[in-house]
Amino acid sequence: MTLTAPHGIRGGGLDPEDLDLTVIAIYEVAFAGLGATAVGGVAAAALMARSRQTLTRSLARAQAAAADAERQREAVLKHLRQRDEALKHLVGARLPSLALHLRSDHYPVPGLKDTSLSGTEFAALLDAVQRWVSEAVLDERQRVNAAASAALRGAFMEIQAKAYRLQTDLTDLQHSCEDEKTLKDYFRLDHLNEQLVRLVQKGAIVAGLWPGLVRPNSHLPDLVTAATARLAGFERVSVHSKLRTDTVGVVGRAAEPVAVACTELLANALEFSRADLSVEVTLLPTDNGAVCIQIDDAGKGMTAEEDGRAAQLLAGGKQVLLTELGDPPALGFAAVGRLAFEHGFGVTVDQTSPYSGVRAIITIPPALVAEINPRTNPLSAMSPLPAPAPRAPRRAVSSEQDGTAGPDSDALPQRRRHRRRASGPDERTAPVGRPPEPGQARTIWDDFEQGMAAGRSGAPFDTIRNEDRA
């Protein structure tokens, strides 16, 4: 009997879906005739072997697929853990550091904790969140600062107006006062009001207002003297002038800003030096036509961080937020920087004084320097006099005049005794200031006040002066 390959065995392979048909075909062959039992046994053994191989391969493929799935699952879980850690780092470290950085530049802002996320879309989303938070914080700070500045401007304008009105009333009381003790009390109250005006003035400047006072072209020594008079502890300030003439002044638009800047720098020098130490102020000319106010104190100086912060505030170009000035806010350098930037003069505090303190310099450029006629507008009696001009070099005396041998003579040079010459007017040392007698000071002050009153009323000065004397 001829045997044919059952369906599914043909081709030497076994498809899993044809397994049932193969089994039926084997049974058909087994019952086909004599000798079929032996052939069927062989076929069944081959089929079982093939089935085991197929099942083994299927199991191996299933196990490999399961391993791949497990690896993919572990990779997804690791990626999710990395994202969770990156989010925690953003909320717990990056954003708080950003808030500190926006307050002060020396606080660093960390980046991604896991660098394997760099360049991914998730890292870009984290950076976008950080930028959004930064913009939101800055916008809110600007809004709060604008509201606070507006409130301060309104308050300072009212206080400043009342302070100037009080100053006018005190001046009138000084004019009408005849009792010396009462007059001293009025002067003391006037000085106290000047300090109040100074405090309100610098706050108003930081809030965006102008200094509140317009001066004509003014002598530079008078401005420094006026700045000194606004401070408690003014007796510790010593003013020296190295100006060559008494015609050096400051143009009117910059006179009060320069006086305010000098006041704040002097206040800083007095505050940060011991109460028994003096503050030296020197007025210096320069070669290019500018003049300088140099202030030297004997305090402890400034640290590198304080020096950098002061330089940033005195530059004046960057908007200063009230929240950046401390609690309570330190307004002095901020006010000086704003005035210097707006009016074109320079201020530096980055040098060390000869007394190991701080040297502050106000540089007034030639464009702000004015020439004032000392006859029509003389210096104040309390201002320092100009420095004497340097002596001209003495002319060499010839050998015929002094009896010594000339350069070609064989005689040895002889030492001559010179008589002391009387000091000439060019060799006299001018005093630093002119402290007048009390009676003279009162007369000068009365004349000044009467002149101011004459200017306000339009009446001739001689008329008001004669009426007061009568």
Side-chain angles (χ1 to χ4, degrees):
M1 181 178 59
T2 304
L3 296 176
T4 59
H7 179 73
I9 300 179
R10 187 180 298 113
L14 179 64
D15 296 331
E17 63 270 19
D18 298 331
L19 183 59
D20 294 338
L21 297 177
T22 303
V23 174
I24 296 172
I26 291 173
Y27 277 105
E28 290 176 352
V29 172
F31 290 100
L34 186 62
T37 302
V39 176
V42 174
L47 178 61
M48 291 178 66
R50 292 290 183 92
S51 297
R52 290 192 187 96
Q53 294 176 359
T54 301
L55 291 175
T56 301
R57 286 195 296 268
S58 299
L59 182 60
R61 286 196 297 268
Q63 290 175 346
D68 290 340
E70 184 65 22
R71 285 193 296 271
Q72 292 178 1
R73 176 177 172 275
E74 290 295 333
V76 170
L77 291 177
K78 180 181 178 181
H79 188 64
L80 290 177
R81 285 194 297 269
Q82 288 177 332
R83 290 192 172 192
D84 290 341
E85 291 296 328
L87 285 174
K88 291 178 182 178
H89 184 62
L90 175 69
V91 176
R94 295 176 66 181
L95 295 183
S97 299
L98 175 64
L100 294 175
H101 179 76
L102 294 176
R103 184 183 304 173
S104 181
D105 292 340
H106 69 274
Y107 287 102
V109 180
L112 286 171
K113 187 176 182 180
D114 190 349
T115 56
S116 63
L117 293 175
S118 300
T120 62
E121 183 179 357
F122 185 72
L125 290 176
L126 295 181
D127 292 340
V129 171
Q130 183 173 318
R131 287 193 302 271
W132 179 84
V133 171
S134 175
E135 293 172 359
V137 170
L138 290 177
D139 290 343
E140 184 65 15
R141 288 175 63 182
Q142 292 287 348
R143 187 189 68 81
V144 172
N145 184 76
S149 298
L152 289 178
R153 282 195 297 270
F156 284 145
M157 286 178 64
E158 293 293 331
I159 298 174
Q160 201 170 32
K162 299 298 183 183
Y164 283 132
R165 176 63 183 272
L166 178 59
Q167 190 174 32
T168 303
D169 293 343
L170 287 173
T171 301
D172 294 339
L173 290 173
Q174 291 169 12
H175 288 164
S176 59
C177 181
E178 298 293 339
D179 182 64
E180 184 175 354
K181 182 179 182 302
T182 305
L183 184 61
K184 290 181 179 179
D185 292 337
Y186 286 154
F187 283 140
R188 179 176 56 83
L189 293 176
D190 192 6
H191 184 229
L192 186 62
N193 186 65
E194 284 283 352
Q195 298 175 49
L196 174 63
V197 169
R198 173 220 157 202
L199 295 176
V200 175
Q201 191 177 41
K202 69 176 179 179
I205 291 170
V206 174
L209 292 174
W210 65 298
L213 183 64
V214 178
R215 294 176 180 265
N217 292 358
S218 304
H219 286 282
L220 180 61
D222 288 350
L223 292 179
V224 177
T225 303
T228 305
R230 297 177 180 181
L231 300 169
F234 62 90
E235 64 276 359
R236 294 168 51 197
V237 180
S238 178
V239 184
H240 312 272
S241 177
K242 292 188 178 180
L243 302 175
R244 298 305 181 195
T245 67
D246 56 355
T247 63
V248 179
V250 180
V251 297
R253 69 178 184 276
E256 182 64 13
V258 169
V260 172
C262 185
T263 302
E264 295 307 320
L265 294 176
L266 284 172
N268 190 70
L270 291 172
E271 181 178 357
F272 291 98
S273 59
R274 225 171 48 225
D276 59 340
L277 299 176
S278 64
V279 174
E280 303 292 330
V281 182
T282 308
L283 309 182
L284 299 165
T286 65
D287 245 356
N288 62 354
V291 290
C292 297
I293 305 172
Q294 179 178 289
I295 302 172
D296 293 313
D297 65 57
K300 297 180 179 179
M302 295 192 299
T303 63
E305 182 179 356
E306 291 172 340
D307 194 6
R309 177 64 175 164
Q312 181 182 4
L313 291 174
L314 293 174
K318 180 182 177 182
Q319 181 186 9
V320 178
L321 301 179
L322 295 174
T323 54
E324 297 176 342
L325 299 178
D327 184 16
L331 304 175
F333 281 165
V336 173
R338 186 182 184 97
L339 292 175
F341 180 77
E342 291 180 350
H343 293 86
F345 57 90
V347 181
T348 59
V349 292
D350 56 354
Q351 299 183 36
T352 303
S353 74
Y355 320 109
S356 299
V358 175
R359 167 170 285 181
I361 299 178
I362 302 175
T363 303
I364 305 170
L368 300 180
V369 177
E371 185 175 354
I372 301 177
N373 189 346
R375 295 184 178 180
T376 59
N377 187 6
L379 277 171
S380 168
M382 304 302 295
S383 297
L385 287 172
R391 286 188 304 175
R394 295 176 57 187
R395 188 176 57 184
V397 181
S398 64
S399 58
E400 290 81 3
Q401 293 175 346
D402 62 358
T404 60
D408 297 331
S409 174
D410 294 335
L412 295 175
Q414 301 293 321
R415 179 177 295 176
R416 303 286 182 181
R417 183 181 298 276
H418 298 280
R419 291 181 301 174
R420 184 183 299 275
R421 295 190 309 159
S423 60
D426 58 338
E427 297 181 14
R428 288 178 296 181
T429 302
V432 173
R434 289 180 291 174
E437 296 296 329
Q440 181 186 4
R442 181 173 181 176
T443 301
I444 294 173
W445 182 257
D446 289 342
D447 291 343
F448 174 75
E449 295 292 344
Q450 291 165 5
M452 293 293 293
R456 296 191 186 100
S457 63
F461 172 68
D462 293 337
T463 302
I464 294 181
R465 189 172 184 178
N466 292 333
E467 289 176 358
D468 290 342
R469 291 179 176 176

